[in-house]
Amino acid sequence: MGRNPVTWLGSPTFPAAARDALGDVQLRGNLAHATTTIRDKRSKAVAELPDWQELRLAGQAIKDDVLSNLDVYLERLEASVTARGGIVHWARDAAEANEIVLRIAREKGADEVVKVKSMATAEIGLNEALEEGGVHAIETDLAELIVQLGDDRPSHILVPAIHRNRSEIRDIFRRAMPDVPPNLSDRPRELAEAARKHLRRKFLSAKVAISGANFAVADTGSVVVVESEGNGRMCLTLPETLITVMGIEKLVPTWSDLEVFLQLLPRSSTAERMNPYTSVWTGITPGDGPREFHLVLLDNGRTKTLADTVGRQALRCIRCSACLNVCPVYERTGGQAYGSVYPGPIGAILTPQLGAGTDDQETAALLKSLPFASSLCGACYEVCPVRIDIPSVLVHLRGKAVENTHTPESVAMAAAAWVMASPVRFHLAQRLSTVLRLVARRGRVKRLPWPGSRWTDSRDLPAPAKESFSAWWRRTRG
């Protein structure tokens, strides 16, 4: 399939969002530069390992074992964490998870908490829930801080502010960060120093910290966070109370299993041989680090996703973002056009499953449209470190979205099937298609009347060949 952006059909929200992104020249320039740079670095880092494909197979096998025996490993994790002084909470959905975290923060008298970058907390809208409850959450990851101060939305799993350039970041800091010098430049060193001074005071005064988790080891109850800046380690060690919100699928059974992912994740995400900061903690240690540790195990649609034998492989995801950096749709629209915390190819298969069954019609339409946000080129599957067959899941979810409905896609596919079922109809359609050559310019059809306009609104249609294959065969082979 071609590497071209597609029109998202079937949603009242997404086509407009995607078209707005396609028309934003600055956004597309920022995305193209960033994704190309990350993609090239990743390719070199992966090429250094002769057993990369074996590591991918191992990662897939470990994750599939966890998903097949999730109840066993979760109970083992709970017992291990509890035995080492931690407190485990179970949350069926976002509301329960938010209530648990807010209650703990209030019990500790905190009106402000520091946060390690976490997709799970963004998924449940924790910051907003805390704010409503009188507790202000401060993002300490630099990119997340940029998004928060800019009253913006993340657009990438790994680099949430990938859609911003240095000048835009400087302007955000000048406007929203106290005590920033008015002559602050857009040099990365100065921007980082300004953020460091701003956050240092927060680290030293916060009573409560909140984190996500990249992995948790069921055998020992150890929780792992990997990062590049060191802000996470400040959150994980200085406050008196640490709360970790973790999706229940983030488990690995043993430390030897963890070793596989600590090779796969950094090379796939930041193109590094290892993460600059890998923090591991097991319960609490008297006299060292937080005095209380709370682990919130979040379901929020994950057990429902497990019931789908095709779609469940999305739960293998280790949030590396490699699929975003190779996706032609993401590169042209950015993450905000997906309307989801999880953008890109993985978001197109994970978000619809986690949010399945919603009563909100607009959200339901949005979720049904997400699997169509792909060219099905297969690049995402090729780079996925745990071998999630994203194109197959996309097709599977598309089928479920149009099941028992009459959408433009289903009508078009039914018409195509009817034409191709008969040699006579098929050859007649080939002859009629030559009419398109009359409106083509330089081999491309730029505009078609409705319903063909649904296609040509966002991309060109190649003009039909002068001669069909069957006609060429008859002419050349008799």
Side-chain angles (χ1 to χ4, degrees):
M1 302 286 290
R3 287 177 60 85
N4 292 312
V6 298
T7 302
W8 293 320
L9 303 175
S11 164
T13 307
F14 258 48
R19 281 195 292 270
D20 290 345
L22 288 169
D24 190 332
V25 177
Q26 180 67 64
L27 172 69
R28 294 186 63 176
N30 295 348
L31 288 169
H33 173 72
T35 55
T36 301
T37 300
I38 298 172
R39 190 164 61 232
D40 292 345
K41 287 183 177 179
R42 178 202 170 275
S43 297
K44 294 175 183 177
V46 166
E48 293 178 353
L49 293 183
D51 61 344
W52 180 252
Q53 295 306 323
E54 288 76 10
L55 280 169
R56 292 180 72 209
L57 288 167
Q60 175 185 353
I62 293 167
K63 278 293 186 177
D64 284 348
D65 172 53
V66 168
L67 296 177
S68 298
N69 301 282
L70 190 56
D71 54 342
V72 175
Y73 289 127
L74 284 171
E75 289 182 356
R76 188 178 303 173
L77 175 69
E78 180 184 31
S80 299
V81 171
T82 303
R84 290 161 176 81
I87 303 170
V88 177
H89 309 263
W90 298 82
R92 286 173 293 187
D93 53 27
E96 279 195 3
N98 290 334
E99 188 277 328
I100 291 168
V101 176
L102 179 59
R103 173 171 51 79
I104 296 170
R106 283 175 169 169
E107 288 174 355
K108 302 306 172 186
D111 57 7
E112 196 171 72
V113 298
V114 289
K115 286 185 73 236
V116 186
K117 180 178 179 295
S118 164
M119 299 299 296
T121 60
E123 174 190 325
I124 62 177
L126 178 61
N127 286 11
E128 294 78 8
L130 290 175
E131 198 71 43
E132 290 180 5
V135 179
H136 179 56
I138 300 165
E139 297 290 352
T140 64
D141 175 83
L142 180 55
E144 290 282 5
L145 178 65
I146 292 166
V147 170
Q148 185 179 45
L149 293 178
D151 196 22
D152 202 354
R153 291 180 298 145
S155 62
H156 194 276
I157 289 176
L158 180 68
V159 195
I162 195 173
H163 57 293
R164 296 292 192 183
N165 60 31
R166 291 185 298 173
S167 297
E168 292 172 316
I169 295 169
R170 176 203 60 204
D171 294 341
I172 290 172
F173 280 11
R174 285 178 175 175
R175 181 175 65 250
M177 193 180 288
D179 302 325
V180 167
N183 61 343
L184 179 70
S185 76
D186 63 358
R187 294 175 58 198
R189 180 186 294 273
E190 289 191 32
L191 295 174
E193 184 62 23
R196 184 179 294 114
K197 289 179 178 179
H198 171 71
L199 291 174
R200 186 56 57 96
R201 292 188 293 271
K202 304 298 183 182
F203 289 135
L204 295 174
S205 62
K207 297 179 180 179
V208 176
I210 299 170
S211 83
N214 291 100
F215 308 101
V217 182
D219 277 359
T220 62
S222 304
V223 183
V224 183
V225 164
V226 296
E227 46 150 345
S228 299
E229 300 171 12
N231 61 293
R233 186 158 295 179
M234 300 288 280
C235 291
L236 300 170
T237 56
L238 291 176
E240 297 176 355
T241 302
L242 172 61
I243 308 169
T244 295
V245 180
M246 186 188 88
I248 56 175
E249 82 282 13
K250 291 298 188 73
L251 281 170
V252 295
T254 68
W255 271 86
S256 59
D257 297 321
L258 176 64
E259 183 265 343
V260 172
F261 295 103
L262 292 182
Q263 294 184 74
L264 288 170
L265 180 57
R267 291 177 188 267
S268 293
S269 56
T270 56
E272 295 170 298
R273 296 181 180 91
M274 65 182 293
N275 293 94
Y277 296 90
T278 300
S279 299
V280 184
W281 65 97
T282 306
I284 59 172
T285 303
D288 184 18
R291 299 175 187 174
E292 281 191 25
F293 168 55
H294 297 262
L295 177 62
V296 181
L297 295 173
L298 175 69
D299 186 331
N300 205 38
R302 286 159 174 79
T303 52
K304 289 182 180 178
T305 303
L306 273 175
D308 189 326
T309 55
V310 177
R312 69 168 61 167
Q313 60 184 295
L315 295 177
R316 292 184 204 149
C317 178
I318 58 175
R319 310 295 193 263
C320 71
S321 76
C323 61
L324 280 68
N325 300 324
V326 299
C327 178
V329 177
Y330 175 85
E331 186 178 323
R332 288 159 175 80
T333 64
Q336 294 181 348
Y338 290 78
S340 162
V341 169
Y342 303 109
I346 186 61
I349 65 171
L350 183 60
T351 303
Q353 297 188 90
L354 294 182
T358 178
D359 295 328
D360 183 84
Q361 292 186 352
E362 185 175 342
T363 302
L366 186 70
L367 296 178
K368 290 179 68 174
S369 76
L370 275 170
F372 297 93
S374 171
S375 64
L376 298 179
C377 67
C380 49
Y381 176 46
E382 293 173 9
V383 300
C384 178
V386 287
R387 292 171 49 84
I388 302 172
D389 189 353
I390 294 177
S392 294
V393 182
L394 285 167
V395 173
H396 170 68
L397 294 178
R398 288 181 184 188
K400 293 178 69 173
V402 301
E403 191 175 20
N404 301 321
T405 63
H406 296 289
T407 65
E409 298 96 329
S410 63
V411 172
M413 291 299 102
W418 180 78
V419 169
M420 294 180 182
S422 165
V424 174
R425 290 194 293 266
F426 182 69
H427 290 305
L428 178 60
Q430 283 185 317
R431 294 191 188 98
L432 293 175
S433 69
T434 58
V435 175
L436 293 175
R437 294 188 56 82
L438 301 177
V439 296
R441 296 292 183 271
R442 297 180 181 178
R444 316 292 290 184
V445 178
K446 300 286 187 180
R447 183 172 298 175
L448 286 174
W450 193 91
S453 60
R454 299 293 295 274
W455 180 282
T456 56
D457 277 351
S458 63
R459 58 180 174 183
D460 298 339
L461 180 71
K466 294 180 180 179
E467 185 177 31
S468 68
F469 174 79
S470 56
W472 172 84
W473 185 271
R474 287 194 300 270
R475 179 173 58 80
T476 59
R477 305 296 173 91

